[in-house]
Amino acid sequence: MVLAGPVQGPPTPTPVDVLAYRIALDLNVDASSLEAAAEITLIASEAVYDGIFFDFIGLEVDSLTVDDADAAYSRDAGRLKVDTGRRSAGDTVVVAIYYRGTPTDGLIFRPSLRGQPAVFADNWPNRARRWFPGIDHPSDKATVEFRVRTPRAWQVVANGLLVSEEIEEDGRKLTVWATDVPIPVYTMVVGASELSVREIGTFGCDEGSDRCVRISQWVYPEDEEQALRLFRRAPEMVAFYDSLIGPFAYEKLALVQSSTRFGGMENSSTIFFSEALSRGRAGDAVVAHEIAHQWFGDAVTAREWPHLWLSEGFATYFAAVFFEFREGDYAAAERLASAEQRYLFSGSAVWSPVIDLGQSDPSGLLNANSYQKGAWLLHMLRRMVGDEAFFEGVRSYYAEYMNQTALSEDFERIMAEVSGEDLAWFFEQWLEKPGFPVVQVQPYWNEGSKTLVLRVHQAQRWPPFSFPLEFEAVGEGYRIESTFWVDSRDSRIEWSLPGEPEGLKVDPHNELLGPTSVVG
Ligand SMILES: [Zn+2]
């Protein structure tokens, strides 16, 4: 997603694997409350001795069944314990929970800026537990079906495909959406209001194609024209990532104007954008970032929160890659330069590694490490192994982990296999250690040997980094670029040149994260 807000709560490991959620919500908009039923189908991944814990906060449980029989339960501050009796590993269990109340968060009953009543979910990272019970952790993806009752004039959007829409006897509307593929709980959402719905493009719907993805916008009627401008390149972006990385994982893509606290939130197949729709260049950047997330974050999900860069770093980088391929190298260079500045001047983030095991609050990971430094890791990796190996590795990683979860070491292993290089030092340096190199170069021309001697000093307060460093020398009748390896606090490079250079540039194409300078 883009932009952050406060959230709390540690991850919740459990010995079960949820396969499917079926969630029925009857929304009482006037009272900001709901009556609901959640049917959770799960497999015990280890033996269960007496019960299963779900994350669930605040709402009142009316009754509960396990495999269709009434069952006992108990609650503490953040969890619902369901008495299942003894279960063997591999057993399937269906738990149905009937509940009601006013969610304190997660499902937000709040009118639009113009006063239009509306209900939008906003789960990241662990607020889903405030409106439905489940295993609220990214390691446990599942399919989801939402059955939502609303006033009859409302539109309801959710993950997956629209199954049905009907007016019931009491005059209220029932809308059903369901996914075919497992998605992370933090992206399981519904959005409901009097929205204007428009198809803005399709992807793969040619005759003879075995799939057809419809791309639509769901916005307040007054904002329809602005949304058409904001989302105009979305179909092109979906086609681009599909061909560069691998197949789009979902049944449709809805772009939704919502009340999310984030600038955009990459809910699987149902992206929520902040109600004040961004405009112009910033708007294009948000749309590309959230669409890239459908591949990275959604289809391939970081299994543990400290690996969040697999989601945010990838979305940040692949947004820049879209503009690079469409508009030219400068478009990516500009975005990477600004990402570098964001990281270098991010304050305390530079003192923590990207994989920050000391950070127990996922929202504390919404920083320049997960986003900008993660993006730069991919940029530096691509420059080091070359475009061919880099994109082949990304495609293999996506193919292997699509609709599953992954850790940084999974990506590292595949990149090492594809490039044929040992990359352990690279990933350790950029993911597990804090900081960045500060490079100072002192040149000296030796006329006798026609050699430019470069003394390279790493002036940062962190230990020395290893990296390839490119130089550009310009002299009479020549302009030469050459790359040298730097791997200690002080290095000495000897570079044979046709004559004394008049100009020297360090890292001329900005391929190293960190400032460089030539000192006298
Ligand atoms: Zn993001």
Side-chain angles (χ1 to χ4, degrees):
M1 89 288 311
V2 172
L3 299 183
V7 273
Q8 54 188 322
T12 312
T14 54
V16 299
D17 174 15
V18 174
L19 303 180
Y21 294 91
R22 290 183 73 201
I23 297 165
L25 300 168
D26 201 334
L27 302 179
N28 184 337
V29 179
D30 297 331
S32 297
S33 68
L34 51 80
E35 266 182 66
E39 182 191 281
I40 304 171
T41 304
L42 59 87
I43 287 185
S45 30
E46 295 168 18
V48 172
Y49 292 98
D50 59 347
I52 293 171
F53 288 93
F54 295 106
D55 302 300
F56 194 41
I57 297 182
L59 301 170
E60 185 187 335
V61 175
D62 289 333
S63 64
L64 185 153
T65 64
V66 174
D67 297 332
D68 286 328
D70 286 338
Y73 60 90
S74 57
R75 301 189 72 172
D76 62 23
R79 294 186 304 177
L80 170 68
K81 184 188 173 198
V82 176
D83 294 344
T84 55
R86 198 186 161 108
R87 300 292 175 134
S88 307
D91 279 2
T92 300
V93 182
V94 179
V95 179
I97 300 147
Y98 302 86
Y99 61 98
R100 69 180 63 237
T102 296
T104 52
D105 199 354
L107 190 67
I108 321 285
F109 291 74
R110 185 198 301 149
S112 72
L113 297 173
R114 295 193 188 89
Q116 172 87 29
V119 181
F120 287 100
D122 200 22
N123 296 342
W124 199 94
N126 49 21
R127 292 180 289 146
R129 65 189 67 182
R130 294 175 182 275
W131 63 285
F132 67 89
I135 304 298
D136 193 5
H137 190 263
S139 58
D140 194 0
K141 297 167 86 166
T143 60
V144 63
E145 177 186 288
F146 283 111
R147 310 174 64 82
V148 188
R149 287 187 175 77
T150 60
R152 68 184 294 158
W154 283 32
Q155 306 292 329
V156 174
V157 68
N159 314 96
L161 265 193
L162 180 64
V163 175
S164 63
E165 221 179 356
E166 61 190 89
I167 304 299
E168 301 202 297
E169 274 176 16
D170 63 1
R172 285 172 55 86
K173 186 176 183 181
L174 170 65
T175 309
V176 181
W177 288 87
T179 72
D180 272 341
V181 295
I183 63 173
V185 170
Y186 70 82
T187 74
M188 293 179 181
V189 292
V190 300
S193 186
E194 281 189 49
L195 299 173
S196 131
V197 184
R198 236 166 120 152
E199 186 169 298
I200 58 168
T202 60
F203 172 71
C205 299
D206 313 328
E207 222 174 301
S209 164
D210 57 356
R211 62 171 175 166
C212 173
V213 177
R214 299 192 178 279
I215 302 167
S216 56
Q217 68 174 38
W218 300 63
V219 302
Y220 295 108
E222 300 88 333
D223 294 319
E224 208 170 7
E225 292 306 315
Q226 193 188 331
L228 284 171
R229 281 193 296 279
L230 174 63
F231 300 137
R232 75 195 182 289
R233 297 189 76 174
E236 178 193 356
M237 289 168 182
V238 172
F240 172 76
Y241 293 124
D242 184 278
S243 80
L244 185 70
I245 298 159
F248 180 70
Y250 304 117
E251 302 88 346
K252 62 99 177 39
L253 182 63
L255 308 165
V256 184
Q257 184 179 22
S258 79
S259 63
T260 179
R261 63 169 62 158
F262 304 108
M265 176 59 216
E266 66 270 19
N267 303 310
S268 306
S269 77
T270 312
I271 301 170
F272 281 10
F273 291 88
S274 78
E275 190 179 338
L277 299 170
S278 322
R279 292 166 192 265
R281 202 182 128 86
D284 285 347
V286 172
V287 174
H289 179 101
E290 303 308 334
I291 289 180
H293 263 311
Q294 300 297 307
W295 280 259
F296 303 113
D298 294 357
V300 180
T301 302
R303 191 179 310 145
E304 301 294 340
W305 288 121
H307 298 253
L308 183 63
W309 81 278
L310 292 173
S311 174
E312 297 303 347
F314 273 70
T316 302
Y317 186 63
F318 279 88
V321 169
F322 171 80
F323 295 105
E324 173 194 332
F325 278 65
R326 283 294 182 271
E327 286 157 25
D329 289 351
Y330 81 94
E334 210 174 63
R335 286 170 167 84
L336 284 160
S338 97
E340 181 178 31
Q341 296 306 304
R342 284 279 290 275
Y343 169 69
L344 298 182
F345 297 100
S346 64
S348 61
V350 300
W351 296 99
S352 302
V354 172
I355 298 179
D356 185 359
L357 300 173
Q359 180 57 265
S360 61
D361 176 357
S363 66
L365 296 165
L366 293 181
N367 59 25
N369 283 320
S370 299
Y371 286 75
Q372 285 81 16
K373 193 178 187 182
W376 261 85
L377 182 154
L378 295 172
H379 177 54
M380 292 187 287
L381 180 63
R382 178 178 164 194
R383 292 295 176 242
M384 206 169 66
V385 302
D387 275 18
E388 201 183 334
F390 177 78
F391 288 112
E392 190 192 328
V394 169
R395 276 193 294 274
S396 302
Y397 166 72
Y398 184 74
E400 187 164 336
Y401 293 100
M402 179 182 177
N403 295 327
Q404 301 177 55
T405 62
L407 296 174
S408 305
E409 42 267 46
D410 300 317
F411 179 62
E412 176 189 331
R413 174 182 54 77
I414 288 173
M415 292 310 298
E417 278 167 17
V418 169
S419 67
E421 291 179 34
D422 175 8
L423 299 171
W425 65 272
F426 175 87
F427 281 90
E428 187 190 343
Q429 168 177 291
W430 294 111
L431 288 181
E432 294 170 31
K433 295 184 173 167
F436 53 89
V438 176
V439 175
Q440 296 173 347
V441 177
Q442 196 172 13
Y444 166 75
W445 175 249
N446 185 330
E447 182 61 32
S449 61
K450 296 267 186 243
T451 303
L452 183 66
V453 178
L454 300 164
R455 293 181 188 282
V456 180
H457 176 63
Q458 295 194 46
Q460 71 274 9
R461 292 163 69 180
W462 301 283
F465 285 73
S466 297
F467 47 87
L469 185 60
E470 192 175 40
F471 295 90
E472 180 195 85
V474 181
E476 194 155 336
Y478 75 87
R479 184 170 183 277
I480 298 175
E481 288 183 350
S482 204
T483 299
F484 299 90
W485 201 257
V486 174
D487 59 9
S488 54
R489 181 67 74 187
D490 290 284
S491 321
R492 185 175 187 277
I493 292 163
E494 291 189 17
W495 190 11
S496 295
L497 289 169
E500 182 170 5
E502 288 148 12
L504 176 70
K505 278 188 194 161
V506 186
D507 190 23
H509 306 293
N510 198 15
E511 294 173 355
L512 177 69
L513 177 63
T516 59
S517 58
V518 177
V519 296

